[in-house]
Every structure is written in structure tokens, then in C-alpha cells.
Amino acid sequence: MTAPTASAPTSRTGRRTVLKGQVLRLYDGRVSLRWQPRTLTVCLLLAAACLAVGALSLTTGTFQVPLSVVVDCLLGRGTGADSFIVMSLRLPRLVCAVLAGAALGMSGAVFQSMSRNPLGSPDIVGFTSGAASGAVVQIVLFDGGATATALASIAGGLLTALAVALISVRHGRTSGYRIVLVGIGIGAMLTSLTAYLLTRASLYQAQDAQIWLIGSLNSASWAVVTPLAITLAVLVPVVLPAARALSWLELGEDTARGLGVSLGRSRIVLAVAATALAATTTAAIGPVTFVALAAPQLCRRLVRSPGPPVVPAAFMGALLLTASDFAAQRVLPQTELPVGAMTGVLGGLYLCQLLVARGRKRTQ
């Protein structure tokens, strides 16, 4: 039996297996791309909603800037205070929110598909906690600067992912529930380590670390946006081709192997890339919860097609983070809330709703 060449997920209707979507063939059929019209529509609507929130973020606030003036500033025709506010203060924050949200959405979609568990997001299974612990270690023990803290955060996230993967292996195989349980346990240990380090730090170091741990876009600048954009430019072309294997992985490892699909290399590539996306985002703006957890699940409900919603989750993550940051700035106009506090509240409510909904399904 030869390995299937179709990369799209399948849906079962009765006894028949139907491939949904349409195929776009390029270069005389040598390259084919399967896409779903509903998925494309959802992505366009999410992009439009994100654009609307972005327009509100750039025009409203303590200093009102008309939309026409914002357009002039974006085109390089702005002058004076308007140009400074739009180009130096508000636009870097907006771009950082879009990029960070997209990275978290993609990372969550990959991990949830690999673990086949809606709780398998990087903030639940401890990867974000590992990145946070790495940054706090660098701040408290080595008094590192912004660059060293960012690198320590990325290293902490990758090492935590490696530890979870090694401990989760049993008889050469892993399961989604085992990954989630091990990740929650390691995340709790790392959270305790972080709390202990804060008690041993000086007042200045503790304040610096605590501000970073909340997760905030208040200090976003082009210096923060640039490495985040470079990371996405490198990792997104890696994730998208490898994500095709997730469609078969969701059917189960035994089924995928029976179809002749080799998943070993794709799983390693996806795990490293998704962890790097989450860790880099944490290094840029601090740990932000809820986005990686909720974005893929919300996309599944909108797209209503099988397979991992990696691309729609990126659009949904960007919308969630930009909307949360906009709300954080407008809830208390005199005091800008950290976006991590806003997403934490929304994430807790969403997680409770998810657990209640699953409980109702089991009782029916």
C-alpha cells in the first residue's frame, strides 16, 4: 500500500470517506494545494475584524487621532505629534500584538492536534511556565538585560518541552492525556521555583521580574517587534508544510502507520517549531495565557472542517490578543492594564465553560 498523497483531512459520512475542499494545482500539477472555501472565508472575516480593532487602537485613546491622519502617518506623510504617537507608540504595540497572537494561535493548534487534547496548549502543559522560569532565573541570579532575558526565556521553554516529552514516553509511545498531566505537574514545579526565586531577589529585581511575568504590551517597541517578526518569518514556513502530517496524526498513530505515513520527523519538527513560537512570544511580551488555548478551539467551531486549524488559529490568535489589549487599555483609561491580566480573566472563564460543556456531554 502506498502512502496517500492528499494532505487534507477527511470526514466520514456513513461508510464513505469524503475529502472536503477544493484543489489548486500549480506548476503543471507538480504542486497541489487543497483548501476549503469556508476556511478561507473565516480567515478573511477574522482578518477584517483584526483590522477594525487595529483601526480603533490607532485612532482612540487619551490623544485622539483621526483615521485620515493615521493613514497619512502610515504612508509617511504624517508630521509632529500625530506621527510620533501613531508610528512610535501605537503601531509597534499593535504589530507586536498581531504577531504574538498569531504565533500563540499556531503553537496552540499544533500542540492540541499532536496531543489530540483541547488542553494541550503551551500555557497549560508548562512550556510557558518554563520560559517564564528561565527569564526569572536570568533576572534574579545573573541580573541579565533584555537580550539575555529573552534568550533565557527561549531556552527555558525548549528545555521544559524536552523534559515533558521524555517523561511522557512510555513503552516508546506517548498519549495526549499523559503529556497534559506531565506538563501540568512540571509547570506547577516551575511556578513554585519562580515564586521561590522572587522571595530571594532584591526589591528592584523582584519588581522587574513581576512586571515581566504578568505579560504586557505596554513597553512594546520596534526593538521588540523585529526579533518576533524574524522568528515568525523563519518558523511559519517550517510549520505549514509539516502540519499536513497532523491531519493523519489526528486519526491515531496506528491508523497513520497503517496508511504508510511516516510521522516521526514531522512530529519532531512541529514540536520544536511550536515550542519556539511560544517561547519567543513569551520572551517578547511575557507569559500570556488563554490565547493558545482558546484560538484553535474557537476556529474549529467556525471552520467546521476536520484537520488542524493552524492557519485559522493564527488569525484568531491575532484577533484575540489585539482585542484583549484594546480592552485592557480602555477598561481603566487612566491606568493601562497588562494584557496578560485581561487574557487571564478571559481564559479562566473559557476554561470553566469548556469543562462544563464536556461534563454535560458525558452526562447525556
Side-chain angles (χ1 to χ4, degrees):
M1 179 180 294
T2 59
T5 57
S7 60
T10 61
S11 63
R12 296 190 178 278
T13 305
R15 295 183 177 179
R16 295 187 306 164
T17 299
V18 181
L19 285 173
K20 291 185 177 181
Q22 301 181 14
V23 177
L24 175 65
R25 301 187 183 278
L26 305 173
Y27 302 105
D28 298 329
R30 289 177 294 178
V31 178
S32 61
L33 175 66
R34 183 175 294 275
W35 58 281
Q36 289 81 27
R38 185 183 180 91
T39 301
L40 179 61
T41 303
V42 168
C43 290
L44 292 176
L45 291 176
L46 292 174
C50 189
L51 184 63
V53 175
L56 289 174
S57 299
L58 293 177
T59 56
T60 61
T62 304
F63 190 89
Q64 303 284 336
V65 181
L67 185 60
S68 59
V69 177
V70 171
V71 174
D72 289 338
C73 293
L74 295 177
L75 296 177
R77 299 197 296 261
T79 57
D82 292 333
S83 179
F84 174 76
I85 290 174
V86 173
M87 301 302 296
S88 299
L89 299 180
R90 294 180 180 175
L91 186 60
R93 181 171 185 152
L94 175 62
V95 174
C96 188
V98 171
L99 295 179
L104 291 174
M106 293 184 67
S107 179
V110 170
F111 280 121
Q112 290 180 16
S113 296
M114 291 180 63
S115 63
R116 300 194 297 278
N117 192 310
L119 296 178
S121 64
D123 47 349
I124 297 296
V125 298
F127 300 162
T128 302
S129 299
S133 296
V136 172
V137 168
Q138 181 66 36
I139 293 173
V140 174
L141 299 183
F142 302 101
D143 199 18
T147 302
T149 302
L151 294 177
S153 175
I154 295 173
L158 293 174
L159 290 176
T160 303
L162 179 61
V164 171
L166 293 177
I167 298 175
S168 301
V169 174
R170 185 177 184 182
H171 303 300
R173 302 180 63 178
T174 60
S175 64
Y177 284 104
R178 189 173 178 83
I179 291 175
V180 171
L181 292 176
V182 171
I184 291 175
I186 292 180
M189 294 171 59
L190 292 172
T191 301
S192 299
L193 173 63
T194 301
Y196 171 75
L197 289 175
L198 290 178
T199 62
R200 306 297 297 178
S202 64
L203 179 60
Y204 173 78
Q205 290 174 334
Q207 289 178 342
D208 191 17
Q210 193 61 48
I211 292 174
W212 186 89
L213 283 172
I214 295 176
S216 175
L217 290 165
N218 294 342
S219 60
S221 63
W222 292 117
V224 176
V225 171
T226 301
L228 190 58
I230 294 174
T231 301
L232 282 171
V234 173
L235 293 180
V236 170
V238 175
V239 171
L240 293 183
R244 293 179 296 179
L246 292 176
S247 302
W248 304 106
L249 184 60
E250 289 190 346
L251 299 176
E253 295 186 19
D254 295 333
T255 303
R257 289 194 182 97
L259 293 172
V261 180
S262 178
L263 300 174
R265 181 178 179 183
S266 297
R267 292 183 66 175
I268 295 175
V269 171
L270 286 169
V272 173
T275 303
L277 285 172
T280 303
T281 303
T282 305
I285 63 175
V288 175
T289 57
F290 165 64
V291 177
L293 172 68
Q297 296 301 314
L298 294 175
C299 286
R300 287 185 184 274
R301 299 179 182 181
L302 295 176
V303 174
R304 297 180 183 176
S305 65
V310 177
V311 176
F315 285 92
M316 179 62 76
L319 176 60
L320 289 176
L321 194 56
T322 52
S324 297
D325 185 52
F326 177 77
Q329 296 179 67
R330 301 297 181 264
V331 170
L332 297 175
Q334 302 301 325
T335 303
E336 292 186 359
L337 294 176
V339 68
M342 183 63 66
T343 58
V345 172
L346 297 177
L349 296 175
Y350 175 79
L351 184 58
C352 291
Q353 183 272 334
L354 181 65
L355 294 175
V356 170
R358 282 187 163 268
R360 289 177 179 176
K361 288 183 179 180
R362 291 183 178 180
T363 55
Q364 290 178 354

